[in-house]
Amino acid sequence: MHEFDRAVVGIGTDVEASILTTSRLLKFAKPVIWAKAISEPHAEILEQLGVHHVIRPEHDMGRRVAHLVRGAMLDYVEFEDNFVMIRTTPPSLAQDRPLEVLQLRSKFDITVVAVKRQGSHWEHTTPQTVLYDDDQIIVQGTKEKAESFSALL
């Protein structure tokens, strides 16, 4: 039999077929399995079976869109353990001075990791980076802290 080290189970809305297929794959004992869940109970069952990565694309996209619609965010990605990265514009209090002077990490518990200037490409920030009102930035931190920072005027 051909050996493999990863498997993806992306069965649409047939929960039973998803669970049975995943269960059979787990018998191989070796592969890392990514499986799509269509509901919270479905995700719980897959996790109980021992699936390494359970994803809920429709649920995650709905949450992402909700964040984009209600705030100043241009993009939003949530990772595990309450960690997010947000694309936004710099609030006025974060403009026209180097990041090392602003001390955003100690004041807001976030980090500005990249900046994109008008007509330019994304660049990593440094302590000497100065942000301007027409920049886009990527902010990382906990969900609460990053969202609060992106909502500042």
Side-chain angles (χ1 to χ4, degrees), residues 6-55:
R6 291 184 184 93
V8 176
V9 179
I11 296 173
T13 59
D14 190 338
V15 174
E16 183 178 353
S18 167
I19 291 169
L20 289 172
T21 301
T22 302
S23 175
R24 297 300 298 165
L25 285 169
L26 286 165
K27 286 194 171 252
F28 289 105
K30 200 167 147 189
V32 173
I33 297 175
W34 291 74
K36 173 187 171 187
I38 62 169
S39 66
E40 190 61 37
H42 185 194
E44 288 176 14
I45 292 168
L46 292 171
E47 288 168 355
Q48 289 170 358
L49 287 173
V51 172
H52 299 90
H53 304 279
V54 176
I55 58 170

Side-chain angles (χ1 to χ4, degrees), residues 104-116:
L104 299 176
R105 188 176 302 170
S106 63
K107 291 179 183 174
F108 298 98
D109 203 19
I110 56 92
T111 303
V112 178
V113 296
V115 61
K116 182 177 183 189

Side-chain angles (χ1 to χ4, degrees), residues 8-151:
V8 176
V9 179
I11 296 173
T13 59
D14 190 338
V15 174
E16 183 178 353
S18 167
I19 291 169
L20 289 172
T21 301
T22 302
S23 175
R24 297 300 298 165
L25 285 169
L26 286 165
K27 286 194 171 252
F28 289 105
K30 200 167 147 189
V32 173
I33 297 175
W34 291 74
K36 173 187 171 187
I38 62 169
S39 66
E40 190 61 37
H42 185 194
E44 288 176 14
I45 292 168
L46 292 171
E47 288 168 355
Q48 289 170 358
L49 287 173
V51 172
H52 299 90
H53 304 279
V54 176
I55 58 170
R56 295 180 55 202
E58 291 87 357
H59 175 264
D60 295 344
M61 184 54 73
R63 287 177 57 181
R64 184 176 184 194
V65 169
H67 280 93
L68 297 177
V69 168
R70 69 176 183 172
M73 296 175 231
L74 302 171
D75 208 348
Y76 177 92
V77 179
E78 185 172 350
F79 299 92
E80 301 151 355
D81 303 324
N82 194 34
F83 186 81
V84 300
M85 294 184 85
I86 295 172
R87 181 170 53 113
T88 188
T89 55
S92 58
L93 63 82
Q95 298 173 17
D96 303 320
R97 292 182 295 165
L99 290 174
E100 67 185 342
V101 172
L102 295 170
Q103 298 183 354
L104 299 176
R105 188 176 302 170
S106 63
K107 291 179 183 174
F108 298 98
D109 203 19
I110 56 92
T111 303
V112 178
V113 296
V115 61
K116 182 177 183 189
R117 311 248 186 247
Q118 289 272 334
S120 188
H121 300 285
W122 285 101
E123 297 177 11
H124 293 283
T125 58
T126 68
Q128 294 76 35
T129 300
V130 176
L131 304 176
Y132 302 102
D133 66 344
D134 59 349
D135 289 341
Q136 289 185 22
I137 57 173
I138 296 178
V139 175
Q140 70 180 21
T142 64
K143 180 179 172 183
E144 177 186 341
K145 302 286 184 170
E147 286 179 3
S148 294
F149 181 77
S150 74

